[in-house]
Amino acid sequence: MKKIKFTLFFVLIVTLFGTTSSCEKPLNLFSVNDDIEFGKQFDQEIKNNRDFVILDEKQYAKAYQIINQYKSKLLATEKVDYFDKFSWTVRIIRDDNTVNAFAVPGGYLYFYTGLINILDNEAEFIGVLAHEMAHVARRHSTAQLTKAYGIDLLLSLLLGKNSNQWVKIASGLASGLLELKFSRDDEFEADKYAVRYTYVTDWDARGVADFFKKMDSQKPIPTFLSTHPADKDRIAAIIKEFEALGGVPGKTFEENYKIFIESLKN
Ligand SMILES: [Zn+2]
């Protein structure tokens, strides 16, 4: 209760004094600990929701071993904000027809098999993984949820009330209809940080650009693009960041990626 009171007090302070700020960033009324608590509850809700068929970690031990290794290598760069504070839990959702991924606050990341299967190498997958991690680490997800649903509703969710609303938000995420549409600025920032995280690893840091090129050529338009609008400017900005860091190419690891795809088969 104390935490909620504090949050409400904080809301009041921001409301009173925040409006004079010329900062264009959307207000984020969540604390970092709220992100963690919110993510935990959200993840529970997703696990309980029948719209999401989450691959079992024991049955698909190999797939989880690979995806967790990818994640750990990115976290080991120590370039990801809250690398040692957020949960950074990765889950794989069985749906071969949905080309999508999403992240919720506190470091819970969800990848559809439809997205994993469509990619050709590790660098492309790392690009999208790093991009989703950046949305969490830069706390875009919380800011967007606050904007879409309002602080009152989110606080009532944190208090364990309003379970119908959880179902609504979770199924919105499943269909890609949730207004968790990131702003253009957030997308550019997530791309930029994805390049930064990846540049210090073995993987080629332009993987995220290759991923977007691939998404662009898909018919019908992948769900991912409806929540992460892409265009040529984004790809150019990714290459520019890569060049600014020194432009040293990394590896793409086609063969290793085939093992990952294989591990998802029944
Ligand atoms: Zn995005």
Side-chain angles (χ1 to χ4, degrees):
M1 241 1 243
K2 206 172 171 189
K3 191 180 77 177
I4 297 302
K5 271 188 191 153
F6 177 76
T7 310
L8 284 172
F9 176 71
F10 182 69
V11 170
L12 187 69
I13 297 295
V14 173
T15 314
L16 288 175
F17 302 103
T19 46
T20 53
S21 160
S22 62
C23 179
E24 284 175 25
K25 279 257 160 210
L27 283 180
N28 190 344
L29 301 172
F30 271 44
S31 69
V32 170
N33 283 330
D34 286 339
D35 273 34
I36 293 168
E37 190 51 39
F38 193 78
K40 213 185 285 172
Q41 290 192 28
F42 213 117
D43 183 58
Q44 199 53 50
E45 207 56 43
I46 285 175
K47 285 197 288 188
N48 293 341
N49 191 314
R50 286 189 189 166
D51 287 345
F52 302 94
V53 182
I54 295 177
L55 293 193
D56 183 75
E57 292 190 23
K58 285 200 186 86
Q59 198 185 342
Y60 292 89
K62 179 83 182 166
Y64 277 102
Q65 187 205 329
I66 295 172
I67 203 168
N68 280 316
Q69 227 166 44
Y70 293 159
K71 170 199 76 182
S72 299
K73 275 196 194 175
L74 289 173
L75 292 175
T77 65
E78 299 194 4
K79 290 190 178 295
V80 182
D81 294 317
Y82 312 107
F83 70 91
D84 55 352
K85 201 164 174 21
F86 283 168
S87 160
W88 303 114
T89 299
V90 183
R91 301 201 192 281
I92 304 169
I93 300 170
R94 167 70 73 204
D95 181 348
D96 292 344
N97 297 316
T98 298
V99 179
N100 202 15
F102 61 89
V104 302
Y108 293 86
L109 313 160
Y110 308 85
F111 293 87
Y112 284 82
T113 50
L115 180 134
I116 297 169
N117 289 338
I118 220 169
L119 303 179
D120 292 308
N121 61 56
E122 281 191 0
E124 290 174 353
F125 182 75
I126 296 305
V128 60
L129 174 62
H131 176 95
E132 291 301 321
M133 285 169 81
H135 276 313
V136 172
R138 305 301 299 162
R139 304 186 66 221
H140 300 154
S141 315
T142 334
Q144 279 312 112
L145 279 170
T146 309
K147 203 168 132 193
Y149 292 100
I151 191 71
D152 291 347
L153 177 61
L154 296 183
L155 283 177
S156 76
L157 291 177
L158 274 177
L159 281 167
K161 295 174 183 168
N162 231 328
S163 60
N164 285 343
Q165 194 61 36
W166 273 118
V167 175
K168 221 170 131 190
I169 297 178
S171 52
L173 277 172
S175 60
L177 289 176
L178 175 73
E179 290 98 306
L180 198 59
K181 205 177 241 179
F182 295 113
S183 68
R184 203 176 146 80
D185 285 352
D186 284 353
E187 289 302 334
F188 273 83
E189 190 174 79
D191 290 344
K192 185 169 83 181
Y193 279 83
V195 174
R196 289 182 184 178
Y197 304 159
T198 315
Y199 192 78
V200 291
T201 69
D202 286 353
W203 291 300
D204 196 296
R206 293 165 294 183
V208 65
D210 292 338
F211 165 76
F212 282 118
K213 280 181 211 159
K214 189 152 286 170
M215 290 297 104
D216 261 347
S217 62
Q218 296 296 316
K219 295 268 181 320
I221 294 169
T223 318
F224 191 89
L225 289 186
S226 65
T227 48
H228 301 69
D231 54 40
K232 293 222 159 39
D233 292 349
R234 267 182 86 172
I235 292 169
I238 290 164
I239 303 301
K240 199 175 156 198
E241 181 67 22
F242 170 77
E243 297 294 344
L245 292 170
V248 178
K251 294 176 188 156
T252 52
F253 298 106
E254 269 88 13
E255 291 308 312
N256 287 5
Y257 195 70
K258 282 179 193 154
I259 301 170
F260 182 36
I261 290 185
E262 204 57 39
S263 70
L264 296 171
K265 291 181 180 157
N266 289 320

